[in-house]
Amino acid sequence: MVDSSTGKEIESQKKFVPGGVEYSIWCEIKPYDERFVELVVDNTLPIVFFDSFSQRGTDGPRDIQGQVKECFTTYLETDSIKVSWEQSKGITSIVDKLKDKELVFGDFGAFSPIYEITPVKDLRDVNSVRGKMGRNRKGFNVERSVGQLVDVKSFSDGELWLEAELEYQCKGMQFYRVNLKLWKEIQRLEVKV
């Protein structure tokens, strides 16, 4: 990525998305200013194709260079934020390093799936069981299942951000993943469930 007015290269990061490639850049722009950016093709780099039966053309390999960074197995960390997880438990810690403050507390991991169901002995009695709950969303005898972290599906370490995808299993759910994107230049954590 090149700044058209100066001809200088701009920090950028690419991500494979359905139907193509998404490029992100980092630049500061003042109000009412505009900046034109060009994508310049580098023909000296080898062309690499990725393929997957389940998501054809949308994903890359788990490890392009044959090296796995240790931080991706249990945590992501920048100068301002550290996100840690443990097998089964999920995300156990999010630390704001600038304020030296832990942001996760309680009995469950951050963003862990929780499935709750109030059992009904006689299905003809559903209305009265629901009526006894009042404004509560669960009954006294609620059965709770907490999701278990089973895999780190993918990760990337680029110029602008770190990214990881955590896969969970939970009763009552067929699919549950948490995507983490931790920006390097600013104190920002994006989470998609």
Side-chain angles (χ1 to χ4, degrees), residues 28-95:
E28 293 183 23
I29 301 175
K30 295 178 181 173
Y32 304 107
D33 279 355
E34 53 184 30
R35 183 173 286 183
F36 294 95
V37 177
E38 292 179 65
L39 175 62
V40 179
V41 178
D42 184 353
N43 291 323
T44 63
L45 297 174
I47 297 174
V48 181
F49 294 97
F50 307 115
D51 198 12
S52 166
F53 181 75
S54 63
Q55 297 175 326
R56 190 166 304 282
T58 64
D59 59 332
R62 291 180 64 121
D63 176 23
I64 296 171
Q65 289 83 22
Q67 302 169 350
V68 176
K69 290 198 171 204
E70 172 129 5
C71 74
F72 289 113
T73 58
T74 59
Y75 67 93
L76 293 178
E77 183 173 18
T78 63
D79 292 338
S80 59
I81 299 174
K82 181 176 182 180
V83 181
S84 304
W85 55 83
E86 295 177 27
Q87 187 176 6
S88 296
K89 294 181 181 179
I91 299 171
T92 56
S93 174
I94 301 175
V95 177

Side-chain angles (χ1 to χ4, degrees), residues 11-15 24 69 72 76 78 155-163 181-185:
E11 276 188 293
S12 65
Q13 186 167 338
K14 69 179 177 181
K15 178 179 180 180
S24 298
K69 290 198 171 204
F72 289 113
L76 293 178
T78 63
F155 41 78
S156 65
D157 182 0
E159 294 293 321
L160 303 178
W161 69 77
L162 300 167
E163 198 168 25
K181 183 188 276 189
L182 188 55
W183 290 81
K184 293 181 177 181
E185 299 287 333

Side-chain angles (χ1 to χ4, degrees), residues 116-135:
E116 297 177 327
I117 187 166
T118 301
V120 178
K121 291 179 184 173
D122 184 358
L123 293 177
R124 294 173 293 183
D125 198 28
V126 171
N127 289 338
S128 67
V129 171
R130 180 65 182 103
K132 289 177 188 174
M133 290 185 210
R135 292 185 177 173

Side-chain angles (χ1 to χ4, degrees), residues 119-188:
V120 178
K121 291 179 184 173
D122 184 358
L123 293 177
R124 294 173 293 183
D125 198 28
V126 171
N127 289 338
S128 67
V129 171
R130 180 65 182 103
K132 289 177 188 174
M133 290 185 210
R135 292 185 177 173
N136 295 326
R137 295 189 180 261
K138 53 188 164 265
F140 180 75
N141 59 335
V142 67
E143 294 175 0
R144 180 176 293 122
S145 300
V146 180
Q148 305 291 304
L149 176 61
V150 294
D151 197 8
V152 179
K153 296 301 285 184
S154 64
F155 41 78
S156 65
D157 182 0
E159 294 293 321
L160 303 178
W161 69 77
L162 300 167
E163 198 168 25
E165 182 178 68
L166 310 179
E167 182 176 349
Y168 289 77
Q169 286 182 348
C170 186
K171 179 181 177 182
M173 299 178 194
Q174 292 182 344
F175 181 83
Y176 192 93
R177 287 192 182 159
V178 175
N179 295 297
L180 303 170
K181 183 188 276 189
L182 188 55
W183 290 81
K184 293 181 177 181
E185 299 287 333
I186 56 176
Q187 185 180 23
R188 181 175 178 156

